[in-house]
Every structure is written in C-alpha cells, then in structure tokens.
Amino acid sequence: MESKLTYQPFDRAEGDAIAVVLFEDETVLPAELQFASAWLDDLRSSGEFSGKSGELAILHRPQGLAAKRLAVAGGGKKAACDSAVLRRAAGSTVRALKQKGVKTLAWWLGAGEADAVIEGALLGNFEPDLYKTSAKDSKSLEAFHVVAAANGGALEAAFERGRILAEAQNFARELVNEPANRLTPTVLAERARQMAAATGLECEILDQDRMRQLGMGSLLGVAQGSDQPPALIVLRYRPAGAPKTNDHLGLVGKGVTFDTGGVSIKPAEGMEKMKYDMAGGAAVLGAMQAIARLKPAIPVTGLVPAVENMLGPRAQRPGDIVTSLSGKTVEVLNTDAEGRLILIDALTYAQRLGCTHLVDAATLTGAIVVALGNVNIGAFTNNDALLGRVMAAAKAEGEKMWPMPLDDDYKELLKSAFADLANIGGRAGGSITAAWFLREFVGDTPWVHLDIAGTAWLDEAKPFMAKGPSGVCVRTFTKLVMGW
Ligand code: BES
Ligand code: ZN
Ligand code: ZN
C-alpha cells in the first residue's frame, strides 16, 4: 500500500473516501463538516452514529468535496481519545472501508496524531492471506493519505515514526504467519539477514557446528529431532558516536518454527497453531528493524534461537540429560517444554556478549493462557526496576501486561534427582516454574520474561486487526529502547 502525508484543504483531498473522526461529546461541528450538519444530525437523532469508538457512517457524493465518500469514524469521548483509540479508529475504518471496495483513502488529521493514524491504518490493512491465490486483491487498500491543513512542525517525524512501527509489527506478523514448511530455522535466519542488510544492522548467524563448539547442549538437544538445522540469530544495533551509557540491552525471542512437542507429542487438535511458536523471535526481529530505523542512544542486541521441535529418529527422549552453555545440567522430563531449553543457552550467550539487561519474549506456556487468558502478557522478573520500565513502555503502547510472582517456593518444583535441574515443575503454576527455569540462568543480570502464549495470536479478528498473528511486543520493545 502506498502511504504519505499531504497538506491540503479538507475539500480538495481526493480518494474513494475521506475519513474524519467525530467525538461523542463534540457539540460544535468542526468547520469543515458544517456542510454535512443535517446528515450528521439525522445520524445522531436516529441513533445510527453517536461518535462512540468503533462506529462508522458513510455519506456518498458529499457536496463540495473532491473525495467520493465522506466517512465519519467515532472517536469516543474527546478527552479519552489517546493514541491507542486513534490507532484503533484508523484500523477499524480501513478494515470496514476496504471490505466495501474503497481503494484509496484520505484521512483528515484535524487535531489527531499522525503516528497513531498511519500506524493503525497499516496494521488494519494487513491480511494473513499471502497463500490465497484468488480474490485477495479485492480486499486491500491501495493508497492511504494522511491529510493535514498545514505542516505543524513535528508532523513529518511523527508520520515516519508511525510508519516505521507499523512496518516492524507487520514484518513480525508476516513471519509468524508463515507456515512451518516455508519458514524453517534456516529461512527465518535468512529473513533476519535480509532485514539486517536493508537496515544497517550487524547480523551473525551461529550454525550447528558453532553451537557445538560453544557447548549449547540444551538448544542442540531440542534441535536434534529435526532434519532442519538450528540457527542462533544475533543482530547488533550500536549507536553512532561515543557511548552515553554502559547499559546494553539484550532482547531474546523464542524461535520454535514448529512445536510438535517432540516425543512428548502434543494432541492433534489445534497443533497447526504451533507455527506461531516463534512469535517471540519475530517480535525481536520486528523490534530490531524499528530500532535500526529510529536509532536510539543505547546498544541493543537481538537474539533469536531458532529450532524446529520434531520427533525424528534422533529426537531427544524424556529422561535425557543435557549440558547447557552455562555448564548446568538439565534433565529433560518433557520434550514439549522446549522453549525454555533453547532460551537458556541464548540468555547465557547474551550475557557473554556483554548484555547488562535482558528482556525475553516467548510463547512459553499454555499455563499463562489459563492464568491470564488472551488479554494480558504475563511478566516475570528478578528486578523490579526493569519490570517497571517494561510495564511503563507496555502501558504507553497499549499492550496489556500483568506482573506474575516468582517466590523462591516455586523454584523447589524444578528439582531433579539426576541433574542440576528438571525442565518442568508439574502442572501447578506452570508459567511460573517455566519462568523460574529461565531465571536460574540469568544470575543477577536484571531480566524480564514475557510469556506471550495467550497474546501473540488472535483466534478471532478484531474490528481493527485481522485474525492471526498480533505482532505483540514489537511496540513495547521499541518504546522501552527509545525511552532508555
Ligand atoms: N509452545 C508451547 C506453549 C504453548 C502451549 C503455547 C499452548 C500456546 C498454546 C510450549 O513449548 C509448551 O508446549 N509448553 C508446555 C509445557 C509443559 C510440558 C510443562 C505446556 O504449556 O503445555
Ligand atoms: Zn512445547
Ligand atoms: Zn513451544
């Protein structure tokens, strides 16, 4: 989709439609809508449109306008209309209008924020229909123009920021949407390499031989059940000029391109969804793309351990004992608890690369879905200050997150009779014991773990977003880094 910011009077903006936000508590119509006051009065008195968030009304052949239709989108209460509301309004409007055959859409900015509008539009226009060979073109918008009366100074920068953020989320969503036959660990690494080349990030891919040399036995144990070799993707962003801080953030994302469960095989029903088990990794890659373009002041390293969890003849068995990069041994009691096995080697490696702060995202446990449903990300930490920063970034970006406990008592559940640790702690508190397992490998390094199993995939479409990958954590990660 072509998108740009233009400066024009309201009535001159061309397109199949021009959209404008109207608020629930807006008593005086803005000047540019005076011509439509009778129509809007009728809409309000009939109850068809009251300005509530999510509402949309369409007037054809609006008198005196260059655009073919006028679309009014509800913005809710004016004082409550923040960037999240605006982003959703733009997304819902795009999704509703493209269904009606609108190809070119102008968006009258009024007093709104250009970043939220372009971001919402690009997110709303994304469809997970890459592999449908017919009738999909009819669904997409071809052009989206944000129209402002005049350049208000920071508009261009805001528009660019919104576009960068949306493209980063859609990149992550594209990767998650790829089925596992098309997106193997090698292909994921190749996509990361291409993105790095395009944005100026440094990219290093550790292959199986290198991982063997280093001693990443925990990651390799998971990978050995598949014909597809693993890859550890490492992307480096370094700010230009002299460092302003000694802090160095490591973003780590689970990259299981498919999770069958291994020998501890999963039930058939719903297993197809396990192509999204690399959504944490995709979020890291998306965030790194945005970071490369927005150029924050701190160094950031993105790490994505990528493997396929299969049950080939060499697959690891329950009871196998592996030696992790840290030197600690792990008894693999359940091969379906593989995410934590690959993450611990990546977390150890991130510390060796000098990361002073670690944040990981992983579709780690079904238990977090039981605890928090599909609404909140579960957040775990060994450092309340870092958790505070991550939660503030999430709140600012409208990505819901809830702190989860990590009392020492839970750690006991990971005891193994034969190795330093077992990789599972039983059914009770499953997302907490999973987080504790990771914590055993980060030492005192400030660390936050985000369990996104319930939030990385939308089982149903939202008015402002298609069914499928949500791109969750890209915005939070980027905000965290930009505000560091
Ligand atoms: N990828 C899954 C977690 C998951 C499960 C995500 C369901 C989304 C929906 C993870 O690798 C896994 O299988 N975890 C197990 C752990 C258990 C064996 C201790 C789980 O949650 O069942
Ligand atoms: Zn699993
Ligand atoms: Zn998994």
Short mmCIF file of all heavy atoms in Angstrom, two decimals, residues 3 37 68 76 119 164 270 314 344 433 435 451 469:
data_model
loop_
_atom_site.label_atom_id
_atom_site.label_comp_id
_atom_site.label_asym_id
_atom_site.label_seq_id
_atom_site.Cartn_x
_atom_site.Cartn_y
_atom_site.Cartn_z
N SER A 3 1.56 4.99 0.95
CA SER A 3 1.07 5.87 2.01
C SER A 3 1.91 7.12 2.09
O SER A 3 3.12 7.09 1.84
CB SER A 3 1.09 5.14 3.36
OG SER A 3 2.40 4.80 3.71
N SER A 37 -24.04 19.03 8.23
CA SER A 37 -24.65 19.07 9.57
C SER A 37 -26.04 18.41 9.60
O SER A 37 -26.37 17.73 10.57
CB SER A 37 -24.70 20.50 10.10
OG SER A 37 -25.55 21.27 9.27
N LYS A 68 -14.88 10.89 -3.03
CA LYS A 68 -16.17 10.31 -3.45
C LYS A 68 -17.11 10.00 -2.28
O LYS A 68 -18.31 9.91 -2.45
CB LYS A 68 -15.92 9.01 -4.22
CG LYS A 68 -15.27 9.26 -5.58
CD LYS A 68 -15.19 7.95 -6.36
CE LYS A 68 -14.27 8.11 -7.55
NZ LYS A 68 -13.42 6.93 -7.75
N GLY A 76 -15.07 8.29 20.35
CA GLY A 76 -15.37 8.20 21.77
C GLY A 76 -15.37 9.58 22.41
O GLY A 76 -15.55 10.60 21.74
N GLU A 119 -0.09 4.33 11.70
CA GLU A 119 0.20 3.02 12.29
C GLU A 119 -1.05 2.14 12.27
O GLU A 119 -1.02 0.99 11.83
CB GLU A 119 0.71 3.19 13.72
CG GLU A 119 1.21 1.89 14.32
CD GLU A 119 1.65 2.03 15.78
OE1 GLU A 119 1.76 3.16 16.27
OE2 GLU A 119 1.86 0.98 16.41
N ILE A 164 7.18 3.42 10.60
CA ILE A 164 8.26 2.50 10.98
C ILE A 164 7.73 1.45 11.97
O ILE A 164 8.01 0.25 11.84
CB ILE A 164 9.44 3.30 11.59
CG1 ILE A 164 10.19 4.04 10.47
CG2 ILE A 164 10.38 2.40 12.38
CD1 ILE A 164 11.23 5.04 10.95
N GLY A 270 -5.64 -28.65 17.09
CA GLY A 270 -5.05 -27.32 17.29
C GLY A 270 -3.55 -27.28 17.09
O GLY A 270 -2.93 -26.22 17.25
N ARG A 314 16.43 -39.12 15.76
CA ARG A 314 17.47 -38.70 16.70
C ARG A 314 16.90 -37.81 17.83
O ARG A 314 17.66 -37.25 18.63
CB ARG A 314 18.59 -37.95 15.97
CG ARG A 314 19.35 -38.81 14.97
CD ARG A 314 20.63 -38.14 14.49
NE ARG A 314 21.54 -37.84 15.60
CZ ARG A 314 21.79 -36.62 16.07
NH1 ARG A 314 21.20 -35.58 15.53
NH2 ARG A 314 22.62 -36.44 17.07
N ILE A 344 17.54 -20.76 27.46
CA ILE A 344 18.63 -20.63 28.47
C ILE A 344 19.99 -20.50 27.78
O ILE A 344 20.83 -19.70 28.22
CB ILE A 344 18.64 -21.79 29.49
CG1 ILE A 344 18.76 -23.15 28.81
CG2 ILE A 344 17.40 -21.71 30.39
CD1 ILE A 344 19.03 -24.30 29.78
N THR A 433 6.87 -21.82 37.06
CA THR A 433 8.06 -22.70 37.10
C THR A 433 8.86 -22.56 35.81
O THR A 433 10.09 -22.63 35.82
CB THR A 433 7.66 -24.16 37.35
OG1 THR A 433 6.56 -24.51 36.49
CG2 THR A 433 7.25 -24.39 38.79
N ALA A 435 9.19 -19.79 34.12
CA ALA A 435 9.95 -18.55 34.29
C ALA A 435 11.12 -18.76 35.26
O ALA A 435 12.22 -18.27 35.04
CB ALA A 435 9.03 -17.44 34.80
N ASP A 451 5.71 -13.87 28.89
CA ASP A 451 5.06 -15.06 28.32
C ASP A 451 3.90 -14.58 27.45
O ASP A 451 2.89 -14.08 27.96
CB ASP A 451 4.59 -16.00 29.43
CG ASP A 451 4.27 -17.40 28.90
OD1 ASP A 451 3.91 -17.53 27.71
OD2 ASP A 451 4.37 -18.38 29.69
N PRO A 469 -1.63 -13.58 13.58
CA PRO A 469 -0.54 -13.01 14.37
C PRO A 469 -0.82 -11.57 14.78
O PRO A 469 -1.28 -10.76 13.97
CB PRO A 469 0.66 -13.04 13.42
CG PRO A 469 0.24 -13.76 12.21
CD PRO A 469 -1.21 -14.00 12.23
#
